[in-house]
Amino acid sequence: MTELPDRRLLLVHAHPDDESINNGATMARYAAEGARVTVVTCTLGERGEVIPAELRHLAGAALGAHRLGELTAAMAELGVTDFRLLGGAGRYGDSGMMGLPDNDDPACFWQADVDEAAAVLVPVILEVRPQVVVAYDDNGGYGHPDHIQAHRVALRAVELAAEAGWTVPKVYFNRVPRSVAEAAFARLQSELPGLPFAKSAAVDDVPGVVPDERITTEIDGTAYATAKAAAMRAHATQIEVAPGERHFALSNELAQPLFTTEYYELVRGDAGDGDGPETDLFAGLRTETDGVA
């Protein structure tokens, strides 16, 4: 455990549901341990595909409003009370998948000026004063325009916040080690006949898979597996969690493993002391002055 008395974690995500898939166990663990966990979601996911037939009438603003309700329910499952939409509901619209005409909508997040959007995030950083920020890599994990833009905005906001008085000590990217993903998918193949999904996704369908040596940090969220699965299940328009809470599928109906140990790559700041991967995002931070510009 870190010696830091007041831990504050900020996570930046593109759409409702991304936070629970990527960081649900991490957030539940830190919230339970008394850390302040803040989630900033950049869009409402108004262009997401809807899984349940009874909800497929939802589109545009109506879908966005429904997904905000799903986000609220998911955060309750994780014990996170501080979750916000970048600039407020509707400030930035969902951009759709890469290469679609939706990307050209002037109101979509992909078309936002990075400095202007980052300036909207800076006051949150200055208010929360996080010692740790979690974001996507420069490909957004898997190439979605809103994920790429969330990466750009998060890292630019960290730079601007430093100029305004708060330097974030540690910045991480969401990751999955390739060996872990490959082993999980190998197990999935043998378990697939008992799942409500006909086919499996592939390792490279998982965002953020990298060679094992890139992993700097492992957060064991096993004790919060049920909370993470419940949070994912709350995003019913986007996710179907299989019975047993070890697998899930998105709208493509391809089964994926549900990871309860979550992995990160430290990209700014110093790793904690000790050999091997960190087991705490706050490792190495010991005083409240860590982060003062």
Side-chain angles (χ1 to χ4, degrees), residues 131 167-172 216 266-272 278 283 285:
Q131 297 100 346
T167 299
V168 176
K170 302 180 82 173
V171 177
Y172 291 90
T216 62
L266 179 66
V267 295
R268 293 192 183 185
D270 297 324
E278 300 174 318
L285 302 176

Side-chain angles (χ1 to χ4, degrees), residues 118 121-123 125-126 156-168 293:
L121 182 57
V122 168
I125 295 176
L126 296 179
R156 181 58 177 147
V158 167
E159 294 173 349
L160 295 174
E163 296 173 5
W166 182 256
T167 299
V168 176

Side-chain angles (χ1 to χ4, degrees), residues 33 50 75 108 129 165 265:
E33 291 176 356
V50 177
M75 294 299 93
C108 79
R129 306 201 325 163
E265 179 183 2

Side-chain angles (χ1 to χ4, degrees), residues 84-229:
R84 315 172 186 209
L85 298 172
L86 184 65
R91 175 69 177 267
Y92 299 107
D94 187 345
S95 306
M97 299 300 288
M98 185 68 83
L100 295 179
D102 297 334
N103 303 164
D104 299 324
D105 184 345
C108 79
F109 190 44
W110 183 239
Q111 292 296 326
D113 180 84
V114 171
D115 277 358
E116 290 180 4
V120 177
L121 182 57
V122 168
V124 180
I125 295 176
L126 296 179
E127 173 197 339
V128 175
R129 306 201 325 163
Q131 297 100 346
V132 174
V133 167
V134 172
Y136 309 120
D137 65 13
D138 58 0
N139 189 45
Y142 72 111
H144 192 293
D146 286 331
H147 287 242
I148 295 170
Q149 190 77 320
H151 158 84
R152 295 170 177 169
V153 168
L155 267 63
R156 181 58 177 147
V158 167
E159 294 173 349
L160 295 174
E163 296 173 5
W166 182 256
T167 299
V168 176
K170 302 180 82 173
V171 177
Y172 291 90
F173 290 162
N174 294 295
R175 293 298 192 199
V176 178
R178 182 163 291 276
S179 69
V180 169
E182 289 175 347
F185 274 94
R187 291 191 297 271
L188 172 57
Q189 297 310 310
S190 65
E191 297 168 350
L192 192 59
L195 298 178
F197 315 119
K199 297 181 180 179
S200 168
V203 167
D204 289 335
D205 293 325
V206 177
V209 173
V210 293
D212 290 25
E213 56 267 24
R214 297 276 296 274
I215 303 300
T216 62
T217 312
E218 300 178 3
I219 303 300
D220 183 356
T222 306
Y224 303 96
T226 297
K228 175 170 180 169

